[in-house]
Amino acid sequence: MKIIDGKIFQTDETWNLSPAILKLLDRRLLNENSNPLYLLKQRIIGNISAVIFRGFKGIEHRYSPSVKMNLVLSDFDMFITSVCYYLRDVFLFARISQSSRKPSDTYYINESHCLRAHTSAHQHRLVQEGLNAFLVIGDVYRRDEVNRTHYPCFHQVEGVRLYSSDQLFNTVPGEELPLIENGIRTFSKQEKHSEDTTKVLEIQLKRTLESLCDALFGSKCEKRWVNAYFPFTHPSYELEVFYKGNWLEVLGCGIMEQQLLESAGVSDRVGWAFGIGLERIAMILYDIPDIRLFWSKDSGFLSQFDGKSPEDRMTYKAISVHPQVIFDMSFFLPSQIEFGDMTANVYDTIRSIGGDLIEQVTLTDEYTNKEGINSQTYRVVYRSHDRALMKEEVNIIHKKIEQKLAETYNIILR
């Protein structure tokens, strides 16, 4: 039995939450006023509430008390997502890869519960409840690689906007244009959408999100649209901006799959959706070099953002720079463990024992020898934000990691 986020769960053999992950569940970074993620969240909410809902009649006034218009669902505190709900509302209608549910990618509590891997898991239910426009903002968890731009918990904003015929085409009752048709699916449209429906949705989508980019990067920023693929939308796009000499991907979006809306009981509306990762954008806007800093409680970091408004433009000033300490680790894998599964286990074990002293973990080599035994080599980079690490103390931590891997997964160190 485990208590997670105030709820009691019976664990089973699928449990793969490390102590380091459990500690993350106690933080609410998006509610901490001195955290740059909070500032970015508020800037996005302010822009979307001013643009996406302007003149939108009949919108449901629900959820977020932090937004004057009460139009946005934000800070969704549903940290545990039922896999059964997940399967019904996401995977069956989105043709999403089965690998998204692999234990090497997802944190499982038991066979029917996991930590959510993306905020899209909530869209289906909210549409089913009758919402026509909303944001879902929250933390998500993935068994990811270890480096300065990846962390097992990060934060997403997803937005959905649905239209009836009169809202999309701005027609009067009785003169609505058809939204739906039984046509052919092409590169540029869904089989159930008319050409006019697709074109107007695309215009509304791109206009709204270009406005958001202007609010984030400045009204003079150069933008471009790139065709993309996402399982929930078609056609799909990525919006890029030219910022500080580079083209940067800002968000993904597209016209929502009508099949997904129909599965939620909506057959008379069409819509679009977008998703944006907060950490990646905040690192660019505030010039933050390491994703671990968002989780820092160091006053030298937090004080730089305390009292700032979401519209303030500023850059982070490094509080200290200390040298890296680098160790390598090589071992043979037991025959029953695949390369990919072992990599996820190694990342979790290293992070659990090394904590925030771990700056980066890189798989530098893997091979199968003549006897058919698999082998891997990892490079582990240690660095502290507040002090210089001694090689002797890092060696103690590194030995604990090796010992834990040997005890838990029966590896043989080389």
Side-chain angles (χ1 to χ4, degrees), residues 247-267:
W247 282 104
L248 304 172
E249 177 193 339
V250 177
L251 54 83
C253 61
I255 297 174
M256 294 184 71
E257 287 282 359
Q258 198 63 28
Q259 183 185 7
L260 186 62
L261 293 177
E262 290 175 354
S263 73
V266 175
S267 58

Side-chain angles (χ1 to χ4, degrees), residues 4-5 7 9 78-82 109 113-116:
I4 302 175
D5 198 37
K7 304 176 182 67
F9 292 90
M78 184 177 180
F79 283 79
I80 310 302
T81 302
S82 164
I109 298 168
H113 293 83
C114 67
L115 302 186
R116 66 182 174 197

